[in-house]
Amino acid sequence: MRRPRIRGKAALGATAALGALGLAGLAVGQILPPLPAHPVTGVTPVGFLAAPIADTTPNAAQLQRGQYLVRAGDCVSCHMREGGDPLSGGFALKTPFGTIYSANITSDRETGIGGWTPDQFHRAMHDGIDDQGKNLYPALPYPWFRRISRADDDAMLAYLKTTPAVSYTPPPNKLPFPFNIRFLVKFWNVLFLKSTDFRADPRQSAEWNRGAYLVTGLGHCGGCHTPKNWLGADKGGQDLQSGKLDNWVAPDLTANPRTGLGGWSVEEVAEYLKTGRNARAGAGGAMADVITYSTSLLSDADRHAMAVYLKTRPAGAEPAIGAPDAHAMARGAAIYSDACASCHLENGVGQPRLFPPLGHDAVLQQADPTGLEHIILAGSRVGTSPAAPTPLTMPSFAWKLTDQQVADVSTYIRNSWGNRAAAVSSGSVRSLRKSLDLEAIRYTANSGDQN
Amino acid sequence: MGSAGAAAAAGIHDGELGAPPQTYTGKVPWQEGAADAPPAALGTDFRFFTPAERSFIEAAVNRLIPPDPAGPSAVEANVPFFLDRQLAGPFGRGDHYFLGGPWKKGAAEQGYQMRFSPAQLYRAAIKAVDDYAAANFHGAAFASLADADKDKLLKGLEAGTVQLGDGVDAKSFFAMLLQNTKEGYFSDPLYGGNKDMAAWKMIGFPGAHYDYSEWVTRHGEKVPYPTVGMKGRPGWSES
């Protein structure tokens, strides 16, 4: 129904202007500016993190180690805001208590940590106390980082001091009373800062211990994957049994065969950490950044060690799960067939490493369905890595499906092809849609004309 | 010229043309929750046609696609509502047409050559046809003519034998009306026409499925999928 080419009014204006010069014939061809001849390239955060440090550099070995550890700690995911320089901070971390902005940890002496001593840095990493002696909020994961060795802390600071100085001061935190009183963190530390320095377990292999050091220390996996109590501290005895943050669910990483890594091999875990995808899953949400800025940039040996350790984590108790409503299942099956099956296929087998298979899937069977609802409403993008640089994307279905339809298709997916999980209510979808600010359709620039 | 060109490029917002050209660095842009969503025609109110124009449109499209046992008529398929929303929006405004002069009568291959936007053409043509009907059919408006007289007049428009006033080219208007009526009849129900996907069901088209590639070589077989539109089908909500 539409004839292409140019917008009436603009064309009239251009024609009028050029008509005076006798150039009307050129108007049509000159409306759109030419495309750039080639993409403009900048230094990407990954390029920054992987920039070679020459062996001839003074102190090269420590700096190379420090750079590697900054990757292992996934520092860039939090210490970089959209459009900002890597490590310059300003990223808004949305906690249940308010918004905390990450610090500038570049070598800038005024706004960064260029002036910090190794003792000050170690104190921040180990005890959560900054160079001025003030308490840091545990948004900086010092409850995990305190397991890092002093030599590793020193190497990271040495490297950070070689990064380009970026003068940038993040906005002040938005924390309501009483969470805005930093002093209170001292009591939090007394109550919850139970983790000790890392001690190798002599009964386990060297590889297992290396994995434990990375997972429970610098990797701070439990920061997201361990459930939290009402004050944001780890719930005791539930390590890595699935946590919730910023409208996502960080899945269970224990040996639970239904919701955790029980069905995954060590090699599958390691492949996932390397490429963000394996034959079972793709890493979306916050995990996409973890893959891109951290685990994809580690050594195969370290990824394997992390996988070996993770495979030995004990599972939590299994809840009782009732049978889903047959009508909801029938509606969900209809939606799945029309809206999902073109990529994930009718039998849920998908296309491994491209479109995740859905059967016997841990992410889909988490007790809290927020992650699945989030993926359906907002879409998701798998993290990129040097080994798999294409960012595969699932589109948003918020414009297409009602809350009830998202709930029904979720219930269906959570209870098909070997999956078994609690039914999803339309109320939980409605509140998530509101939190994600998707009550009105969010159009891309490529959408059709709106009236 | 540079600024006029840039302004025009920034103003174009159209799936046909794609997003305005931009330069990206570092990573492929992606926004969570954003969708290449088509604009849906919501509600039931008419925004463009006056009541008299609506009577004309309903009478005319129901002669182009009359009710019969094979399937719904154009009115039953909600084509007038589809036309109303199209004419009230970017299509009606002619956002995608070059509407500047010269307005010489061109060859058919040269396409649309009029100074009217589609909305202006419909408005002027409906009045001109009603005036013509009143002058030639005992003072009656088009909508109140007998079916045989309606057909006679429409055929005259199609053949160009009926001359309309107000600078309206009868042939061009008829061609646009017929084209738009077919579009309303067979397009996705999201746009307001093709009510209950009845036109698709009539011809056995299963609708907006993502992928028919496995059927390309399976000639003569019935595709077993239930008919579905971009916003679903009854089975998504009923059970």
Side-chain angles (χ1 to χ4, degrees):
Chain A
M1 166 140 221
R2 290 162 173 167
R3 274 185 225 205
R5 305 318 92 172
I6 54 175
R7 188 170 264 271
K9 272 188 225 155
L12 279 172
T15 309
L18 288 166
L21 299 169
L23 293 172
L26 291 177
V28 171
Q30 307 225 338
I31 289 296
L32 295 174
L35 286 166
H38 55 82
V40 180
T41 51
V43 177
T44 65
V46 171
F48 174 90
L49 286 168
I53 296 171
D55 291 338
T56 51
T57 312
N59 198 25
Q62 191 191 33
L63 296 181
Q64 289 164 348
R65 180 175 173 185
Q67 184 193 42
Y68 184 84
L69 294 167
V70 163
R71 304 201 293 250
D74 192 26
C75 306
V76 163
S77 276
C78 285
H79 287 280
M80 182 177 69
R81 67 197 177 281
E82 188 70 36
D85 290 296
L87 305 177
S88 68
F91 174 79
L93 202 68
K94 291 176 204 136
T95 76
F97 313 105
T99 302
I100 295 175
Y101 290 92
S102 60
N104 180 347
I105 57 169
T106 69
S107 65
D108 189 62
R109 295 187 73 86
E110 301 300 319
T111 61
I113 60 172
W116 285 34
T117 65
D119 282 346
Q120 287 171 330
F121 186 73
H122 179 67
R123 200 170 167 212
M125 297 288 275
H126 196 270
D127 300 322
I129 292 171
D130 72 8
D131 61 327
Q132 308 293 318
K134 280 193 282 194
N135 280 90
L136 295 160
Y137 289 104
L140 172 72
Y142 61 84
W144 290 271
F145 287 173
R146 69 193 341 239
R147 295 195 181 91
I148 302 169
S149 70
R150 175 65 196 247
D152 280 352
D153 276 345
D154 290 350
M156 276 190 279
L157 182 66
Y159 164 72
L160 290 171
K161 285 192 171 190
T162 68
T163 59
V166 177
S167 178
Y168 169 78
T169 303
N173 296 330
K174 291 180 196 147
L175 290 167
F177 181 82
F179 303 115
N180 57 350
I181 305 174
R182 280 184 181 266
F183 185 76
L184 293 179
V185 177
K186 288 187 193 302
F187 296 104
W188 190 94
N189 288 341
V190 169
L191 285 170
F192 301 120
L193 199 58
K194 299 245 162 71
S195 48
T196 57
D197 295 359
F198 181 76
R199 287 198 199 94
D201 183 343
R203 293 164 301 176
Q204 301 284 355
S205 69
E207 185 180 37
W208 185 96
N209 276 303
R210 174 66 179 167
Y213 178 73
L214 288 167
V215 166
T216 65
L218 208 40
H220 64 287
C221 305
C224 296
H225 289 275
T226 295
K228 301 288 178 277
N229 66 20
W230 66 282
L231 275 172
D234 283 6
K235 284 185 181 170
Q238 299 183 34
D239 282 0
L240 303 177
Q241 289 179 14
S242 152
K244 185 171 181 180
L245 77 159
D246 197 15
N247 299 315
W248 283 105
V249 169
D252 185 354
L253 299 183
T254 71
N256 187 315
R258 188 175 64 86
T259 59
L261 297 175
W264 291 31
S265 68
V266 167
E267 284 66 33
E268 284 173 327
V269 177
E271 182 188 353
Y272 182 88
L273 294 173
K274 180 173 187 170
T275 65
R277 56 202 83 173
N278 63 18
R280 298 170 180 275
M287 194 64 196
D289 283 349
V290 177
I291 299 291
T292 302
Y293 300 132
S294 178
T295 58
S296 72
L297 307 175
L298 302 183
S299 68
D300 284 333
D302 274 350
R303 283 188 288 258
H304 199 268
M306 292 169 79
V308 164
Y309 172 76
L310 284 171
K311 282 289 291 174
T312 62
R313 299 298 82 213
E318 275 285 62
I321 298 165
D325 174 65
H327 296 287
M329 287 291 281
R331 295 190 298 267
I335 298 163
Y336 180 85
S337 177
D338 295 330
C340 315
S342 41
C343 292
H344 295 283
L345 305 191
E346 287 287 353
N347 55 6
V349 300
Q351 295 287 347
R353 294 182 179 76
L354 294 173
F355 311 129
L358 304 181
H360 297 284
D361 185 273
V363 172
L364 303 174
Q365 297 181 84
Q366 299 300 303
D368 183 335
T370 301
L372 171 58
E373 294 168 6
H374 192 137
I375 292 170
I376 295 173
L377 280 175
S380 179
R381 181 144 86 164
V382 173
T384 57
S385 61
T390 304
L392 296 169
T393 304
M394 157 133 169
S396 160
F397 283 82
W399 70 275
K400 188 177 176 103
L401 300 178
T402 64
D403 294 333
Q404 185 65 52
Q405 287 167 346
V406 173
D408 288 340
V409 78
S410 298
T411 297
Y412 175 75
I413 292 168
R414 280 160 68 82
N415 289 281
S416 299
W417 320 297
N419 294 337
R420 191 169 49 82
V424 176
S425 75
S426 63
S428 73
V429 180
R430 190 178 313 118
S431 58
L432 181 63
R433 190 190 290 267
K434 194 169 157 55
S435 321
L436 295 174
D437 195 20
L438 287 172
E439 287 169 305
I441 297 178
R442 200 182 291 164
Y443 293 101
T444 65
N446 214 29
S447 296
D449 269 325
Q450 310 307 313
N451 285 330
Chain B
M1 178 59 218
S3 62
I12 291 171
H13 187 252
D14 174 4
E16 276 182 345
L17 295 178
Q22 287 185 38
T23 303
Y24 299 103
T25 56
K27 58 181 180 180
V28 182
W30 179 68
Q31 193 198 0
E32 183 178 276
D36 296 336
L42 304 172
T44 55
D45 57 312
F46 276 59
R47 294 177 186 170
F48 175 75
F49 292 127
T50 65
E53 289 168 345
R54 182 175 171 179
S55 299
F56 171 92
I57 282 295
E58 288 175 351
V61 299
N62 243 27
R63 293 314 301 157
L64 298 176
I65 307 178
D68 65 24
S73 71
V75 169
E76 286 164 345
N78 230 11
V79 170
F81 176 73
F82 166 88
L83 294 176
D84 182 82
R85 290 306 177 83
Q86 288 297 319
L87 292 169
F91 170 75
R93 292 194 301 270
D95 281 0
H96 309 81
Y97 286 79
F98 180 81
L99 296 172
W103 297 286
K104 290 179 180 167
K105 192 165 171 61
E109 292 76 16
Q110 290 173 309
Y112 193 79
Q113 294 290 328
M114 273 179 288
R115 64 197 307 165
F116 294 120
S117 70
Q120 290 168 326
L121 178 63
Y122 270 80
R123 184 139 281 158
I126 291 170
K127 180 177 179 300
V129 175
D130 269 341
D131 287 349
Y132 181 92
N136 295 279
F137 293 93
H138 319 296
F142 176 84
S144 54
L145 298 183
D147 283 351
D149 288 338
K150 285 179 193 157
D151 291 355
K152 194 173 156 192
L153 209 166
L154 289 171
K155 282 177 181 168
L157 297 176
E158 183 176 25
T161 53
V162 168
Q163 297 297 317
L164 298 176
D166 300 335
V168 176
D169 179 59
K171 259 179 115 160
S172 297
F173 170 64
F174 181 88
M176 186 180 279
L177 177 65
L178 179 61
Q179 173 70 19
N180 295 164
T181 300
K182 291 179 196 168
E183 286 163 349
Y185 195 73
F186 286 111
S187 61
D188 193 282
L190 183 73
Y191 301 105
N194 191 9
K195 190 180 176 199
D196 299 332
M197 301 179 279
W200 290 352
K201 290 172 186 167
M202 177 182 76
I203 60 170
F205 174 54
H209 288 275
Y210 177 78
D211 185 6
Y212 283 106
S213 55
E214 67 169 298
W215 293 90
V216 169
T217 55
R218 295 168 67 171
H219 303 290
E221 275 185 76
K222 195 169 172 60
V223 178
Y225 306 147
T227 311
V228 66
M230 280 192 273
K231 292 282 271 179
R233 59 181 165 96
W236 288 18
S237 303
E238 294 166 8
S239 170

